[in-house]
Amino acid sequence: MSAPLDIDGSAAPPRANGELVFSQPWESRAFGMAVTLYEAGAFTWPQFQRALIARIAAWENALDQDRPWSYYHHWLAALEDVLDEQGTVSCDEVATRALTLAQRPAGHDHHH
Amino acid sequence: MTTSSESGEAPSAALRTEALEQLLTERGLIDPEMVDAFITNYETNVGPLNGAKVVAKAWTDPEYRRRLLADGTSAIKELGFDGPQGEHIVVVENTPTTHNVVVCTLCSCYPWPVLGLPPSWYKDPAYRARVVKEPRTVLSEMGLDLGDDVEITVRDSTSEVRWLVLPERPAGTEHLTEEELVPFVTRDAMVGVAKVAAA
């Protein structure tokens, strides 16, 4: 059976309140940053929404979907797009900083 | 070493997120503690229980029900639920002959203050595309079989509208109070992919 609506497996909609809504920690940070910036007036919600719709549409319209569906991946990309457009933080700056972070020695976040 | 076991994208997205948070913090644009607070709020406080309280009140208080259907956002605010994505909530009522089901075909707009953040299936491209074209089939796959005499309306949140479904109060619950009804109301029923079942 190939029903995409997984109601019993890992993507099943949990019934209880207070469920786990993020599958990985970075997803919650990306969510929290967007909401914090919006609440601070850094951008309007429709601005962010347009960027998100564009990112999702680009993925859906791509002939070769090189990466699996990841909602928060699009969310993060949309946030970067909005900030880049505004000149707040450019995508290049993010890429450069991410590269620096990637070069940290192994175990940098372990304090023994 | 970071190993990428399940998703090859995860490490790079994680690093970009960390990089972005550092840059925004350094420029004084965000306070990481405020980001923490928002996350905690949506992980633990804001969820479908809020919507369940709204529905239970509407079931037991005809005057509130009238206000809720006339102006969802204001009536929901009366119970103290507001915030982002709660500005334009429109409540639609399910009846024995009309069934509303909610989707956001373009992204994943969702009434956060009453339902919390959307579940993964709501954001899934398959649900978003298919529920518009073949709602009866999709609902059936999700466990809700509606008779042919029931008219289905798909509510697409593409504009500035966030939809909330007021499900039917199940038969046999006439003796229950508002507080006693709350636990029956599920998130799925308020999105319109399920009915509220009596115990």
Side-chain angles (χ1 to χ4, degrees):
Chain A
M1 175 151 154
S2 62
L5 297 172
D6 182 6
I7 58 168
D8 293 315
S10 59
R15 296 291 191 272
N17 200 3
E19 69 201 46
L20 186 68
V21 290
F22 303 107
S23 62
Q24 298 184 63
W26 70 264
E27 297 180 351
S28 68
R29 300 314 291 178
F31 165 78
M33 280 193 281
V35 176
T36 306
L37 287 163
Y38 158 74
E39 289 276 317
F43 46 75
T44 66
W45 200 257
Q47 267 180 296
F48 178 71
Q49 206 177 344
R50 273 194 295 275
L52 181 60
I53 289 170
R55 281 289 182 168
I56 290 175
W59 183 88
E60 288 180 344
N61 296 332
L63 291 175
D64 53 334
Q65 288 167 348
D66 54 343
R67 63 170 70 101
W69 170 255
S70 161
Y71 175 74
Y72 281 104
H73 197 104
H74 300 306
W75 180 284
L76 174 65
L79 179 58
E80 286 191 44
D81 288 346
V82 170
L83 296 171
D84 183 82
E85 219 170 90
Q86 290 180 332
T88 310
V89 177
S90 74
C91 290
D92 287 347
E93 288 175 290
V94 177
T96 306
R97 180 66 62 97
L99 199 62
T100 308
L101 295 175
Q103 287 161 350
R104 287 174 295 195
H108 65 89
D109 52 355
H110 292 259
H111 304 287
H112 293 297
Chain B
M1 271 302 286
T2 304
T3 51
S4 168
S5 54
E6 286 182 16
S7 164
E9 287 302 323
S12 86
L15 283 175
R16 285 190 84 96
T17 304
E18 190 179 354
L20 185 60
E21 184 162 358
Q22 280 190 359
L23 290 162
L24 288 167
T25 305
E26 285 164 14
R27 290 169 198 190
L29 294 165
I30 58 166
D31 173 353
E33 285 185 13
M34 281 205 39
V35 177
D36 292 343
F38 274 114
I39 295 168
T40 305
N41 194 31
Y42 280 96
E43 279 183 333
T44 59
N45 300 330
V46 184
L49 181 59
N50 293 356
K53 289 176 181 169
V54 170
V55 168
K57 187 169 180 61
W59 281 347
T60 52
D61 179 344
E63 193 46 37
Y64 182 76
R65 177 177 160 278
R66 195 192 56 74
R67 291 201 299 280
L68 183 67
L69 292 171
D71 181 349
T73 300
S74 300
I76 286 163
K77 211 171 185 170
E78 284 179 38
L79 302 192
F81 309 135
D82 62 356
Q85 306 261 4
E87 296 89 347
H88 309 283
I89 298 180
V90 177
V91 181
V92 284
E93 187 175 30
N94 281 351
T95 72
T97 53
T98 57
H99 186 91
N100 295 278
V101 57
V102 180
V103 66
C104 175
T105 50
L106 291 183
C107 46
S108 54
C109 300
Y110 196 70
W112 292 356
V114 276
L115 294 184
L117 298 180
S120 53
W121 57 264
Y122 184 85
K123 298 174 286 189
D124 193 277
Y127 175 77
R128 297 188 355 259
R130 289 187 56 221
V131 78
V132 178
K133 293 181 198 144
E134 40 178 358
R136 207 171 289 272
T137 307
V138 170
L139 290 175
S140 177
E141 285 170 12
M142 296 180 85
L144 178 60
D145 288 306
L146 295 171
D148 290 336
D149 56 326
V150 179
E151 188 188 341
I152 302 176
T153 305
V154 179
R155 302 291 184 173
D156 189 350
S157 322
T158 48
S159 61
E160 279 299 300
V161 174
R162 308 283 177 273
W163 302 98
L164 180 73
V165 173
L166 174 58
E168 283 178 80
R169 179 171 175 170
T173 60
E174 293 77 10
H175 60 291
L176 298 179
T177 65
E178 182 182 331
E179 288 72 24
E180 289 168 337
L181 286 165
V182 169
F184 289 94
V185 187
T186 62
R187 186 250 321 275
D188 289 8
M190 294 182 279
V191 181
V193 299
K195 288 190 177 222
V196 175

